[in-house]
Amino acid sequence: MNNDEVLSLIKKLGEEDSYYLRKHARERMNERNITTSDIKDILTNPKRVLRTDTENEDGITSYKIEGGVHNHRLALKFDEDQAIIIITVMDKR
């Protein structure tokens, strides 16, 4: 997938609430005061793919994206059912 296709898929799945957060992402949300509303905003308003990692141990490509009104960042991947797995949540830095 190219970056535009990735962003389109993220937006589509975000609008369908087809995503879940790993424990690590939930912990980072608490540390960084990022809400579930912020997560929804990032997913439904993705702005750009910052990095694509294809050399993951599990063989699944992951993406670091930026989006939402506050330009927060997420690391995510897609599962076999085309749901978003949110790996971690980052402040804009």
Side-chain angles (χ1 to χ4, degrees):
M1 277 190 285
N2 67 37
N3 286 350
D4 288 337
E5 292 169 329
V6 169
L7 294 174
S8 291
L9 182 57
I10 290 168
K11 182 175 177 68
K12 175 184 174 288
L13 294 174
E15 289 171 349
E16 296 171 354
D17 291 328
S18 187
Y19 62 90
Y20 54 96
L21 294 112
R22 289 213 170 142
K23 180 182 176 193
H24 177 81
R26 289 187 187 282
E27 291 168 353
R28 295 303 166 267
M29 284 175 65
N30 288 334
E31 289 173 7
R32 297 172 178 149
N33 294 317
I34 296 174
T35 66
T36 54
S37 295
D38 291 326
I39 297 296
K40 180 78 172 185
D41 181 40
I42 298 163
L43 295 175
T44 57
N45 299 290
K47 293 181 181 167
R48 63 186 179 130
V49 175
L50 301 169
R51 188 175 72 226
T52 301
D53 294 319
T54 58
E55 309 249 340
N56 296 312
E57 289 182 18
D58 61 7
I60 300 172
T61 301
S62 62
Y63 304 92
K64 182 178 177 183
I65 67 157
E66 182 177 77
V69 70
H70 298 293
N71 293 318
H72 289 307
R73 297 173 177 187
L74 300 176
L76 58 84
K77 56 179 68 175
F78 302 104
D79 71 9
E80 61 277 351
D81 296 320
Q82 290 292 295
I84 297 170
I85 304 166
I86 300 172
I87 301 164
T88 194
V89 179
M90 297 157 264
D91 290 326
K92 182 176 170 69
R93 291 185 191 170

